[in-house]
């Protein structure tokens, strides 16, 4: 199916995005090529005239694709190599993701950190720290660009030049809340903003549960920081369970109810997270390695890796001098190389495999 | 074995209390009556002359029993009906418990609340609340009379006229820390101070792990409030696992390490506790009922129960007027009656079984 028809699947009048996505996902694996938009519409069990619905959806799709070009927004369709591999595995993956920033970020191993919009100082501190620690370990930090814990996680990641993805409940050219516009721009340098809503879509309350499904969908694990009893983060956690992802929660005060949702998750068996290492332990490196596949990032960094003599062991200072990177950036790169089995670490020495 | 010899088991020169207790516990269930002190000494595998050791132990026992009489301290031996039933089930129950206060408290269902001596304001608030809530639900609150979380739990319990037991790492006539002397006196009105150390024993560091074993031993569950990585509360929790008791921990801040021990317990499967109801849920009333056996307290209160007509349903106000009790005292009594299946609660009505 071509780009326009694929986009059209997500804007069929009168059919919900997730229903159309699920139908598309069912059909795309069948030997029905070329899959027609009309088939998907019929597969949704809609009463309307498939042909006229398809025409209207195509017109809207054309409008969105044109708008995306103007706004420097890239549509990444389900069979694009840059489409997040884990998201492809959920039951209703969006046929198209609209992306602003570095689309290469989408295929790297990622962990979501989500939490209260009205976060306490404690939650902001913890989310910031987790964002930073995950980035230092080479993981992409996923969150919702919301006020409070979400933006703290993005910022913590950016503080060590990490790669972070903001998943929006609006078009990626519509930044909500508006005070996060600068954060959005910074984030797009190495990371990305993504949405299944086309350019110009406003942030509507009903968009956020959909958005939460994507946060879980592209992540290996979801970490909840300070969720009260009816927090949106619990929706994300429920999706994580549904998607078979690890659910983690940060403990906090039992007084005042701010953490009642997080603690309910812990009671139900979520992993207790005090620091990023707890998350890595839960994931296990092998799992992360599988999920990693070939990250475009590690391909890019091959010329740096080429500077290391195969079989030789390097100390951290030597490595830093040889590849010309330092601190968190170097560590993130080392993690990439370790994940792709190009580098082995023995105690504090790194050795390039031959 | 008579009182003097039973006490003597715990003061055999050169043999540790727990070793002697374990040997005594092994022999007491065998058909060896009358069990001789010398047999226990031999059973400990001690090289010395059993007869001379027994003579010395008996002399010390006589001194302790005399001192106890002077100090109004009661020795409660292992086969005394007032000996804590759950403590009898551990591998090395003390042959004698020295008790100050209401010995009837020892046979009631109890939950331990233990935590940091240098407790944060948060931990003090939580321990106080748990002590109060457990008392309101008719449970005895067990702790170590220490600074910080322990004394907060005792005080929370006392604030609603609950029954609380302080387990000491010294003789029950030696209050440590000294600023808890008034607390100790208050606590002894309806509750008790207990120790396996005879009157006059000073608080020595090596006594406290022993003491922690008793805290767990007499309790249905151990709740840890704010334990750092090397907290003594973790020793109590380890005993609780060994004794097959429920281990619970209160979550808290992941920053600064104050809760690292508590969170390690949660990671290992301890129950997350936000309030007393989480503990009750973990225990399940049926389990508590089994453990309750025939509490001397419920026997004593039979004359109050007799004031209720069998089969008739009473509202709380009516009940209060009829039995002449109110508030937490009434609720504790109702719980006793419910536990011993003498009273049934339907919604907000209580009915005496016929």
């Amino acid at each position: 199916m071509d780009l326009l028809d694929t986009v059209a699947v997500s804007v069929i009048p009168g059919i919900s995005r997730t229903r159309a996505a699920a139908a598309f996902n069912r059909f795309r694996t069948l030997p029905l090529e070329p899959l027609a938009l009309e088939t998907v519409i019929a597969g949704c069990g809609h009463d309307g005239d498939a042909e006229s619905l398809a025409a209207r959806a195509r017109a809207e799709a054309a409008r969105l694709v044109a708008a995306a070009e103007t706004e420097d927004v890239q549509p990444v369709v389900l069979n694009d190599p840059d489409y997040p591999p884990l998201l492809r595995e959920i039951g209703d993956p969006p046929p198209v993701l609209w992306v602003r920033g570095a689309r290469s970020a989408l295929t790297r191993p990622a962990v979501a950190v989500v939490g209260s919009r009205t976060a306490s100082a404690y939650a902001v501190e913890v989310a910031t720290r987790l964002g930073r620690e995950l980035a230092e370990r080479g993981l992409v930090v996923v969150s919702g660009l919301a006020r409070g814990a979400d933006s703290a996680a993005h910022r913590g990641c950016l503080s060590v030049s990490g790669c972070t993805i903001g998943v929006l409940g609006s078009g990626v050219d519509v930044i909500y809340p508006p005070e996060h516009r600068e954060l959005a721009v910074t984030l797009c340098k190495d990371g990305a903003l993504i949405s299944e809503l086309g350019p110009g879509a406003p942030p509507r309350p009903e968009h956020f549960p959909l958005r939460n499904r994507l946060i879980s969908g592209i992540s290996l694990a979801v970490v909840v920081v300070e969720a009260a009893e009816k927090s949106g983060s619990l929706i994300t956690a429920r999706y994580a369970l549904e998607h078979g992802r690890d659910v983690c929660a940060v403990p906090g005060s039992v007084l005042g109810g701010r953490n009642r949702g997080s603690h309910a998750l812990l009671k139900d068996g979520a992993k207790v997270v005090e620091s990023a290492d707890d998350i890595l332990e839960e994931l296990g490196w092998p799992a992360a390695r599988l999920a990693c596949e070939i990250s475009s990032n590690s391909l890019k960094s091959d010329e740096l890796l080429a500077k290391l003599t195969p079989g030789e062991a390097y100390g951290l200072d030597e490595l830093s001098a040889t590849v010309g990177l330092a601190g968190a950036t170097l560590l993130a790169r080392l993690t990439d190389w370790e994940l792709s089995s190009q580098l082995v670490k023995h105690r504090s020495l790194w050795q390039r495999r031959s």
Side-chain angles (χ1 to χ4, degrees), chain A:
Chain A
M1 200 184 268
D2 70 4
L3 172 64
L4 220 59
D5 271 18
T6 310
V7 172
V9 171
S10 61
V11 289
I12 306 167
I15 295 179
S16 81
R17 288 176 176 279
T18 47
R19 196 162 161 203
F24 178 70
N25 194 43
R26 273 200 315 279
F27 285 122
R28 78 183 172 94
T29 53
L30 298 177
L32 276 176
E33 291 291 355
L35 173 59
L37 176 58
E38 288 78 2
T39 312
V40 175
I41 294 174
C44 290
H46 193 277
D47 286 341
D49 169 27
E51 277 181 37
S52 102
L53 285 177
R56 282 164 66 197
R58 281 192 187 102
E60 173 63 1
R63 191 188 70 72
L64 289 174
V65 169
E69 250 174 71
T70 316
E71 298 286 342
D72 204 19
V73 169
Q74 308 160 64
V76 174
V77 294
L78 196 52
N79 60 358
D80 190 303
D82 282 343
Y83 193 92
L86 288 175
L87 185 58
R88 229 183 249 131
E89 293 171 13
I90 74 172
D92 49 6
V96 60
L97 279 182
W98 303 93
V99 179
R100 222 175 109 188
R103 54 194 281 162
S104 62
L106 305 188
T107 47
R108 293 182 52 194
V111 167
V113 177
V114 296
S116 172
R117 286 196 302 278
T118 58
S120 66
Y122 169 70
V124 167
E125 187 172 347
V126 172
T128 306
R129 208 185 61 175
L130 287 177
R132 189 182 64 232
E133 291 174 348
L134 288 167
E136 284 169 347
R137 282 153 186 77
L139 285 153
V140 172
V141 175
V142 178
S143 197
L145 205 79
R147 292 189 180 101
D150 284 23
S151 52
H154 291 304
R155 289 198 167 101
C157 176
L158 292 172
S159 74
V160 291
S161 307
C163 173
T164 181
I165 296 178
V167 187
L168 306 190
S170 58
V172 289
D173 55 337
V174 181
I175 302 307
Y176 179 84
E179 68 264 36
H180 288 169
R181 278 188 198 140
E182 202 181 316
L183 173 61
V185 170
T186 313
L187 178 159
C188 281
K189 277 186 210 147
D190 293 313
L193 292 175
I194 68 171
S195 177
E196 65 178 307
L197 302 163
R204 292 225 180 87
E206 66 269 27
H207 292 163
F208 289 91
L210 274 181
R211 183 274 303 259
N212 293 353
R213 148 179 145 275
L214 294 201
I215 289 179
S216 157
I218 65 173
S219 304
L220 291 162
V222 169
V223 186
V224 175
V225 182
E226 197 176 77
E229 211 154 2
K230 292 185 176 177
S231 165
S233 307
L234 300 181
I235 300 177
T236 314
R238 212 187 52 217
Y239 277 121
L241 279 177
E242 200 178 288
H243 298 157
R245 309 298 152 82
D246 288 308
V247 182
C248 308
V250 175
S253 170
V254 300
L255 305 171
R258 279 190 165 280
N259 292 292
R260 199 155 294 153
S262 313
H263 293 156
L265 291 175
L266 292 179
K267 289 174 185 172
D268 288 346
K271 166 93 177 174
V272 176
V273 164
E274 296 187 285
S275 71
D277 287 333
D278 292 320
I279 306 164
L280 295 193
E281 190 190 302
E282 181 71 4
L283 293 176
W285 276 124
R289 188 179 298 169
L290 281 174
C292 177
E293 298 184 4
I294 299 163
S295 96
S296 52
N297 214 57
S298 57
L299 289 178
K300 265 189 219 156
S301 56
D302 267 356
E303 56 192 62
L304 293 182
L305 186 68
K307 295 183 179 177
L308 304 180
T309 311
E312 195 161 317
Y314 295 84
L316 197 58
D317 289 343
E318 265 177 304
L319 268 179
S320 177
T322 312
V323 303
L325 295 174
T329 318
L330 176 60
L331 290 176
R333 203 49 58 89
L334 293 180
T335 308
D336 278 345
W337 290 333
E338 274 187 81
L339 282 175
S340 55
S341 304
Q342 300 180 86
L343 205 67
V344 186
K345 188 182 173 192
H346 297 298
R347 299 193 179 168
S348 53
L349 292 176
W350 281 262
Q351 183 181 29
R352 188 181 154 193
R353 282 180 193 266
S354 24

